[in-house]
Amino acid sequence: PIPDAGSVSSHDNNRKVSREDIELVQNLIERCLQLYMNREEVVKTLLNRARIDPGFTTLVWQKLEEENAEFFRAYYIRLKLKKQIILFNHLLEHQFHLMKFSHSPKLPLAPIHHHHPM
């Protein structure tokens, strides 16, 4: 469970951000990265679960990305791979259902006649 982060909530915009606030959001982002979430998913998760302002999460993410450019380059490749695996699994499941539950009669295909113009 993600702890309540009321000190950096969207309801408290006038309060000064502390080093602890930044470290908390950084730690939460790092936990989300372990689950292969993209930035949009992280922003939504931190808003919904810890009431952290999306602008603040985005700012901390950008700073992490600047300081760890090589990690994020590799991370974005892993996110693309994750997306491709999910799509492949979806297509594979769809193909399985088409083959298993297809009620079309197994009729032989008619031969194809090729006409050659003179």
Side-chain angles (χ1 to χ4, degrees), residues 63-87:
K63 196 69 177 162
L64 286 171
E65 199 169 342
E66 286 172 18
E67 294 172 358
N68 304 283
E70 194 59 41
F71 168 83
F72 277 93
R73 249 190 301 281
Y75 185 76
Y76 289 131
I77 291 170
R78 289 192 295 269
L79 285 183
K80 285 180 185 177
L81 181 60
K82 175 190 169 190
K83 193 174 183 179
Q84 290 174 349
I85 289 169
I86 290 169
L87 178 60

Side-chain angles (χ1 to χ4, degrees), residues 14-30:
N14 294 331
R15 188 184 167 285
K16 205 167 189 181
V17 175
S18 70
R19 180 73 199 147
E20 289 78 21
D21 293 334
I22 296 168
E23 288 174 359
L24 170 68
V25 174
Q26 180 177 338
N27 289 333
L28 294 175
I29 289 172
E30 288 171 359

Side-chain angles (χ1 to χ4, degrees), residues 98-106:
L98 285 175
M99 292 175 76
K100 184 175 180 179
F101 302 111
S102 174
H103 296 293
S104 60
K106 303 282 189 263

